[in-house]
Every structure is written in structure tokens, then in C-alpha cells.
Amino acid sequence: MSLRILVGCKRVIDYAVKVRVKPDHSGVVTQGVKHSLNPFDEIAVEEAVRLKEKKHASEIIAVSCGPAACQETLRTALAMGADKAIHVEVSEAEYATLQPVHVSKILAKLAERTQANLILVGKQAIDDDLNQTAQMTAGVLDWPQGTFVSQVEPEGDSLKIVREVDGGLEHIKVKLPAVVSADLRLNEPRYATLPNIMKAKKKPMEKLSAKDLGVDIAARIKVVNVAEPPVREAGAKVENVDELLGKLKDLGRI
Amino acid sequence: MFLSRCVRRIHPGTSCRWVSFNTNEHEQLRESVRKVVTNDINPCIEEWEAKGRFDKKFVLKKLAEIGALGITKPTEYGGLGLDYSYNVPFLEEIGMCRGAGVVTGVTVHTDMCCPALIRFGTEELKQQFLAPSISGEFLGCVGVSEPDAGSDVASIRTTAKRDGDDLIINGTKMWITNGTQADWMCMLANTREGKAHKNKSLICVPMNLKGITVAKKIQKIGQHCSDTAQIFFENVRVPASNIIGEEGQGFMYQMMQFQEERLAAALAIPNQLDKVIEETAEYLATRKVFKTPLLDKQYIQFKLAELKTEVEAIRSISYRGAQQIVEGEDATMLASMAKLKAGRVARDVVDTCLQFHGGMGYTEEMWISKAWRDCRLISIAGGADEIMLYIISKYMGICKD
Ligand SMILES: Cc1cc2nc3c(=O)[nH]c(=O)nc-3n(C[C@H](O)[C@H](O)[C@H](O)COP(=O)(O)OP(=O)(O)OC[C@H]3O[C@@H](n4cnc5c(N)ncnc54)[C@H](O)[C@@H]3O)c2cc1C
């Protein structure tokens, strides 16, 4: 079965940025901060491209939900090898409360619209670490799911999947259409090449709104307060184990 | 850093125009170069510093894979034919190698040995030397300086005498970056008697020919992973058709390609210096002296702020020079100013930052000590600071030489 793959591409604050909380505690500072494609989504894109290179897939459609800047993130996915992109525009204000429950409904609608039979997403986004989108999307569509995968192998109308679970690896087989979420060891994403970066500029990008898809993205949560984690206190060096045990006793930890 | 990296230029009589160095495509290229530098190159630097040269095959392959060896080079020979603005993120990011020797070696290859060949070389010469340089098969070097001629390029002594359809080359080239491992050299030599500015030619010389000996690998105070060689040429025979462009025009061609060389040298500096300042501030934030972190001292804050401003000045001059190249204008003055400023500011930044590190700054352990040794070169190679001042004063019309 030839795959039509829908890949989730979330735009997140770059992993190397030191994230700061806004002075009014309503969220984190995003203005003027470097953003990039969520690293786990990058792995998902890479896997899709490899599936296409191995002739298992016929088309790769990259999707991003969020403000206009998400189009830059989509261009990265296109430069890596996605064929086309869909930008579901969500205003900055709405984006602040957009959650997996909304995104999964959008992805489900887009799967119907594009006739995708595989939805590939990262296991989580490095900004909110929610780890729910794949699972909820499978729920909305009533498709089977393979989460935290480190290996994917198409076989007839199924996928042979290796999952990373506590204490080892789990081998499963899921029937297509399916939802898969990528774990860290699935692959090592390629670097976009300059020729492909330039070609990506000309690849088609469709713009939609949640309304176009009939998905209600009204807020389900209210952000009450965002605070910095407590600052780590300076450590001290001890000379030997006895001193260490003594200190721990003094602190009442042992 | 967050300012839009645009340069505005107003042409008399036309509307103003912006050349952008940070479109999404520029940024994606930057990202790919950054990945090669952080994931592939930087982990090897220590090993290459010890060996005294970087691994040319590895570095060229990694850069060729992302298309970074042919950014502005003609598409007929495998390049991407993009305008010079795309070279800017490449140079800024390659500058972030944690050993400037790689930066020197790579930029000699990408920006210094090829401009004249691209502008004036024949189709055959470009197929033979440019195409494999873009694909990463060949490493290039520049052979201008000699033991008795550095600042005064016109006084070089190497000769390339005509013998039938060939040239016979004799002489010594000195300070040749990539000299022990280059596959070809863009060499400046005297091809006839006569006036020093009209008797020279640029010649493509394959480095595996009979009569070429690497006399020695020069031991330097820094940039250890860049090999620098003295090279003897003894009756080395190359076809006369290896002359780039017109015979006798070599001096002029070299003066032209010095612009790309100097601008590239300058563009590779600012991001690297920003990093030095940033890491110094991080260190000073944790280093307590007289009970408070050093970074809390206003003297230190102001010093770092001053340096940061100077770094931004290098960037601005360089961007304007890059803009001139994009527009096809003469960038000599701005390229010379950029190189001068880069050399001077780099010395100031690394010296001040080393000072603020105290004893730790004087150890091999810290990157700052390497940056200090490595950066000293900028004010010497590619034309000393004083030569930049000489060019600038000529452009000002106050030097009548
Ligand atoms: C590590 C390294 C790599 C190099 N790589 C290459 C390479 O790949 N290819 C190549 O061809 N060359 C290369 N060079 C050579 C470099 O370009 C020369 O060293 C430089 O041009 C200076 O020439 P010189 O060393 O002969 O110094 P000199 O010409 O002897 O000058 C010495 C000093 O005199 C001063 N001076 C010179 N002229 C004037 C003046 N008119 N007025 C006032 N003061 C002046 C300057 O301070 C200068 O530094 C490299 C050099 C080094 C150190």
C-alpha cells in the first residue's frame, strides 16, 4: 500500500535558547527568540522522507498550526523533502491556549481532506512536553497507533513497528491507516542542503484556518501563572564519603 | 542580534533598495552550516590541532553535501549561482568553528583561490579546477606571498617562463595556507620582464607535479589545525593555457580577488567574537572575587558592552561591503576597512576577555586562550593592518603613491 503521509511540524523555541518568563507571568518570551522545527517532528519528517526514498510513500504533506511564522518552519520541512505544506493559521492570542485536543482534531480533518493514510508526528514538542497529540489524533480518527517508535517498516497494509517502552523494546504491527509518533532514536535527521532550500521556496503551501476545517479552537484552559523554576543553589565539594554522609545526615536526608 | 540584518543603500536618482541577509533561505542555510560546524567539525578540532592540519576530505565532504562549497559559484560547474548575500550566513557560521585554523583553511578554499578563475578563467580551466573544488574533490590554496615579498606583492620573484606551449615555474612560495594538502594552487608569478604591475599572471598549478616540494610545515603560535607551508618550485612544467585570463594581468586580477578574500576574512569574525564575549560573561557571572561575581562590576559590564559595540561595527561595515558585491560595485574600500576593523577588534576582544579570566585565561584548558592565539593572525594574513590603512588612504586621496 502506497503511503500518503501527513507530518506534524510544530514551531518551537530553539532547544539552545535559554527560555525566559515574561515579566507579567502570562507565558514565556517568544518575541525575538530563535525558533525552529520541533526536534521530534524533525525526526518524523526525516522518517517520512526516508519512506518516500524507499518508494513506500507517494506523497509527504507537512502541517503546522500556529501564527504566520510557522510557514518558515514548514519551509524547513519542505527543504528536507516534504512535497507540500499546509499552514493552519492560528492567531497569536488563540495559539497561547491551543492544545493537543485542538491540534488532533485539525490533523484528523486534514487526514480526510488529503486522504492521508499515515500521520507521523513527534512524540512530544520540546516547549510544552505534552505528549498527547498522536494519541488523541488516533482517538479522534479511531485509527490504530504506534507511539514512541524507534523503527517503522511497511509490510502490506500494515506497519511493523518497534516501540521504546520502559525496560525494553516492544514489537507491534498496526494496520493502516495509522498514527505514529517518533522517538529520539528513530533516525538522525539530515541537514537541509542549499539546493533543496532553494527548491523548497517553490513548493506549494496551502493556507487554511481552523474554521475552514470546522474545528473549534476555543480555549479549554486558562493560564493562571507561569513562573521560573527555582534557581539551583550552588553545590559544594566534599573530600570523601564520610564527609558526604555526615553532610547528608546534617541535612536530615539520611 | 535581533535587528533585521538588512542594509539600505540609496542610489542617486533611483528608489532605495534593500539587500537582505536574513530571508528564510539565508537562515536555513545558516542552520545547516551551523549543524555541520557543531555536530561534525567541532568534535574533531582537538585532534586536528594536535595533528597540525584539519582532515580535508572530511571537511570538504561535509560542506559539499549541504552545497556550501558552491554558494555563489556558477551553476555550470556545480555551484548554485546565488548572489553574494548567501555567502554571508555561510561565512558567519563557518567562523564559529572552535579552532580558527579550519576557518582559514576553508575560506581560502571557498573565497580566496577561486574569484579570478571564475571571472577570467577559460572553460577548460574551470572544468579542471573549479568544478572539483565545488564538489569537494579538490582543495585549493593561494600562492602569492614569498620569503621576500609579503606586503609588497609586486616584488615577488617566482618566474613562469614560456617554453613552447608550456610554462616552466621556478621560485619559493611562503606562508601557504593548506599548502601541505592542497590539490591545486592559484599562483601569482612573473611571466615576463618589465613593469612589476604588468609582468605577472595568475596560474592554476596542480600540486602533484614533479618539481614541487613542501619544504616545511611552518610552526605557528596559533591556528594549529591549519597547515601553513613553504613550498619550492623547481622547473615545474604546466601548460601555458593554465594562465587565468590574460597573461600580464595577474597583479591586477589578484588585487581584485583580494576584495573577496578580505571581506570573507572579516565576515567570519563577528559571530565568533560575540561568542567569546558571551562565554566570558557566563564565566564572570560564576566567578566570585571579593565576595561578588565579577560580572557585577560595572567596569567589566561597560568593557564588554564597548567590545560588543565594536563587534557590531565590524558586522555593519562587512554587510555594506557585501551589499556592494551584490550590486556589482567596487568593494575595495569597505572590504579593506572591514578587514582592518576585524583584525583590530578581534585582538581587543580576545585580549580583554582573556584578562578577565585571570589565571584560567592563561591555561590551555580554556577556549579563550586558543581564541587569543588564533585571532592574532587576522591583522597579518591577507594583508597586514598597515596595508589596509595604505589602501584606505589611497581611496581617501591623501596618499599619492
Ligand atoms: C598563518 C598565515 C597564513 C598565510 N596564508 C597565506 C596564503 O595562503 N597565501 C599567501 O599568499 N600568503 C599567505 N600568508 C602571508 C601573508 O599574506 C603575509 O604574511 C602578509 O601579507 C604580510 O607579509 P610579510 O609576512 O611578508 O610581512 P612584511 O611584508 O615583511 O611586513 C611586516 C610588517 O610591516 C608592516 N608594514 C608592511 N608594509 C607597511 C607599510 N607600507 N607601511 C607601514 N608598515 C608596513 C606591517 O605591520 C607588516 O605586518 C599567510 C601568513 C600567515 C602568517
Side-chain angles (χ1 to χ4, degrees):
Chain A
M1 189 192 252
S2 183
L3 297 170
R4 288 177 61 78
I5 311 176
L6 196 65
V7 195
C9 297
K10 187 174 184 184
R11 178 174 181 269
V12 297
I13 294 182
D14 189 79
Y15 75 94
V17 171
K18 287 188 193 101
V19 177
R20 282 181 302 127
V21 169
K22 281 189 196 162
D24 67 358
H25 296 279
S26 63
V28 298
V29 178
T30 54
Q31 275 279 320
V33 170
K34 182 170 151 47
H35 283 69
S36 44
L37 175 57
N38 175 37
F40 290 107
D41 293 348
E42 197 180 350
I43 295 171
V45 174
E46 175 65 34
E47 198 60 23
V49 176
R50 290 187 190 186
L51 285 167
K52 193 174 174 201
E53 282 168 350
K54 288 189 211 137
K55 308 260 185 284
H56 292 308
S58 56
E59 190 165 51
I60 304 166
I61 306 152
V63 187
S64 193
C65 308
C70 290
Q71 290 178 20
E72 290 172 12
T73 309
L74 286 170
R75 292 283 170 212
T76 304
L78 292 170
M80 287 176 71
D83 298 293
K84 54 186 185 187
I86 300 174
H87 174 215
V88 181
E89 179 141 17
V90 177
S91 71
E92 288 282 359
E94 287 171 311
Y95 191 59
T97 54
L98 195 78
Q99 290 212 291
V101 65
H102 305 120
V103 177
S104 59
K105 285 179 187 164
I106 292 172
L107 289 179
K109 286 284 184 199
L110 287 176
E112 283 168 23
R113 195 183 164 103
T114 58
Q115 291 174 338
N117 52 8
L118 174 60
I119 298 180
L120 248 174
V121 294
K123 73 166 178 179
Q124 69 196 61
I126 62 164
D127 51 2
D128 52 20
D129 276 344
L130 288 176
N131 177 9
Q132 294 173 356
T133 304
Q135 297 86 331
M136 286 189 175
T137 308
V140 175
L141 286 164
D142 199 18
W143 287 4
Q145 59 182 297
T147 49
F148 320 132
V149 312
S150 59
Q151 227 172 295
V152 180
E153 178 82 35
E155 193 183 72
D157 61 354
S158 309
L159 296 174
K160 272 169 61 188
I161 281 173
V162 179
R163 301 183 63 228
E164 299 204 348
V165 293
D166 286 349
L169 297 174
E170 185 181 60
H171 295 251
I172 61 167
K173 203 165 161 181
V174 297
K175 259 220 149 65
L176 288 163
V179 180
V180 166
S181 78
D183 210 326
L184 190 64
R185 280 161 288 271
L186 180 56
N187 59 50
E188 259 187 59
R190 68 196 63 197
Y191 309 158
T193 70
L194 188 50
N196 288 340
I197 290 169
M198 299 314 288
K199 273 184 218 145
K201 238 173 119 170
K202 302 199 180 82
K203 289 184 179 176
M205 184 168 324
E206 192 181 356
K207 275 158 229 153
L208 295 171
S209 67
K211 215 165 148 205
D212 294 335
L213 296 167
V215 175
D216 173 16
I217 54 170
R220 302 283 192 92
I221 55 162
K222 195 171 137 206
V223 176
V224 182
N225 187 40
V226 177
E228 302 262 359
V231 185
R232 224 174 125 226
E233 279 174 45
K237 277 194 182 150
V238 289
E239 289 295 326
N240 50 45
V241 177
D242 289 342
E243 196 188 333
L244 174 67
L245 292 174
K247 292 238 173 194
L248 288 172
K249 270 197 189 118
D250 291 348
L251 288 168
R253 300 288 159 93
I254 52 172
Chain B
M1 284 298 270
F2 311 136
L3 293 176
S4 170
R5 294 192 169 165
C6 292
V7 176
R8 185 178 185 198
R9 244 187 98 76
I10 299 168
H11 290 285
T14 59
S15 61
C16 62
R17 193 187 123 90
W18 297 75
V19 166
S20 177
F21 300 113
N22 71 340
T23 68
N24 192 28
E25 287 68 42
H26 291 86
E27 290 311 301
Q28 285 194 51
L29 169 62
R30 176 187 300 287
E31 198 55 43
S32 290
V33 179
R34 185 177 289 162
K35 284 178 180 165
V36 171
V37 168
T38 36
N39 302 342
D40 302 321
I41 294 180
N42 282 346
C44 305
I45 298 237
E46 217 170 300
E47 183 194 328
W48 297 339
E49 289 268 307
K51 277 195 185 143
R53 71 166 68 99
F54 67 92
D55 180 340
K56 74 164 178 178
K57 277 216 173 94
F58 177 79
V59 170
L60 292 183
K61 179 169 168 278
K62 290 289 171 193
L63 290 172
E65 270 171 9
I66 58 164
L69 298 181
I71 300 171
T72 59
K73 309 217 162 58
T75 50
E76 301 90 295
Y77 309 98
L80 284 140
L82 296 169
D83 72 54
Y84 192 86
S85 70
Y86 287 90
N87 214 22
V88 172
F90 165 69
L91 289 166
E92 288 181 327
E93 292 308 321
I94 199 75
M96 298 297 275
C97 291
R98 303 286 277 193
V102 181
V103 186
T104 304
V106 167
T107 52
V108 160
H109 176 78
T110 53
D111 286 76
M112 305 180 185
C113 67
C114 290
L117 175 61
I118 292 169
R119 253 182 230 128
F120 305 109
T122 57
E123 166 69 19
E124 292 76 49
L125 275 188
K126 289 186 204 170
Q127 289 296 358
Q128 198 183 340
F129 297 100
L130 182 60
S133 296
I134 295 172
S135 67
E137 224 176 300
F138 275 10
L139 177 69
C141 68
V142 176
V144 174
S145 305
E146 298 183 0
D148 297 315
S151 302
D152 183 7
V153 173
S155 70
I156 58 159
R157 294 186 188 162
T158 299
T159 56
K161 292 211 172 104
R162 189 88 187 204
D163 179 42
D165 287 340
D166 293 340
L167 295 169
I168 310 287
I169 302 172
N170 278 289
T172 304
K173 289 293 172 186
M174 184 72 183
W175 311 114
I176 306 309
T177 299
N178 296 342
T180 70
Q181 51 177 350
D183 299 283
W184 71 281
M185 172 186 279
C186 178
M187 172 194 269
L188 187 68
N190 298 303
T191 41
R192 64 164 94 171
E193 300 290 319
K195 282 211 174 112
H197 296 169
K198 302 235 160 104
N199 71 339
K200 299 177 174 39
S201 302
L202 281 178
I203 307 163
C204 291
V205 182
M207 291 300 283
N208 57 359
L209 297 181
K210 214 176 114 212
I212 301 181
T213 349
V214 174
K216 70 168 175 202
K217 196 165 127 212
I218 299 163
Q219 299 297 320
K220 310 186 298 293
I221 62 169
Q223 304 223 349
H224 293 147
C225 56
S226 167
D227 51 309
T228 313
Q230 179 177 10
I231 305 172
F232 294 151
F233 294 81
E234 228 177 324
N235 294 319
V236 176
R237 188 178 280 271
V238 298
S241 57
N242 278 22
I243 291 178
I244 295 171
E246 250 179 86
E247 191 269 333
Q249 294 294 309
F251 184 82
M252 200 190 74
Y253 294 164
Q254 183 54 41
M255 291 301 128
M256 286 172 82
Q257 77 177 356
F258 269 142
Q259 305 334 311
E260 279 97 340
E261 167 159 351
R262 288 165 186 164
L263 196 58
L267 280 163
I269 299 301
N271 282 19
Q272 183 186 328
L273 294 183
D274 275 341
K275 188 83 183 156
V276 170
I277 296 172
E278 186 190 316
E279 289 190 9
T280 301
E282 275 166 21
Y283 175 78
L284 298 177
T286 60
R287 178 73 187 165
K288 283 192 182 145
V289 174
F290 300 114
K291 296 209 173 68
T292 54
L294 275 172
L295 193 62
D296 289 354
K297 311 257 180 294
Q298 194 182 50
Y299 171 73
I300 287 184
Q301 295 165 3
F302 278 18
K303 263 300 219 205
L304 294 182
E306 191 84 46
L307 292 174
K308 180 94 180 155
T309 308
E310 289 291 302
V311 172
E312 209 47 58
I314 312 173
R315 190 175 279 122
S316 291
I317 303 175
S318 309
Y319 278 15
R320 284 192 56 218
Q323 160 96 14
Q324 287 187 324
I325 293 193
V326 174
E327 305 271 345
E329 293 167 17
D330 174 15
T332 309
M333 183 147 111
L334 285 174
S336 309
M337 288 174 163
K339 161 82 167 54
L340 173 71
K341 195 78 184 159
R344 293 225 199 278
V345 173
R347 285 155 73 179
D348 205 2
V349 168
V350 293
D351 195 64
T352 309
C353 289
L354 186 146
Q355 179 68 20
F356 289 163
H357 276 78
M360 279 312 287
Y362 203 63
T363 64
E364 292 274 355
E365 238 170 274
M366 303 295 282
W367 180 48
I368 184 65
S369 64
K370 179 152 64 164
W372 185 75
R373 286 186 275 112
D374 284 356
C375 277
R376 191 60 184 83
L377 181 65
I378 309 158
S379 283
I380 298 169
D385 284 357
E386 291 74 12
I387 296 304
M388 300 305 107
L389 291 167
Y390 167 68
I391 296 168
I392 297 162
S393 29
K394 270 180 80 165
Y395 266 72
M396 290 166 72
I398 57 174
C399 164
K400 302 276 184 271
D401 279 9

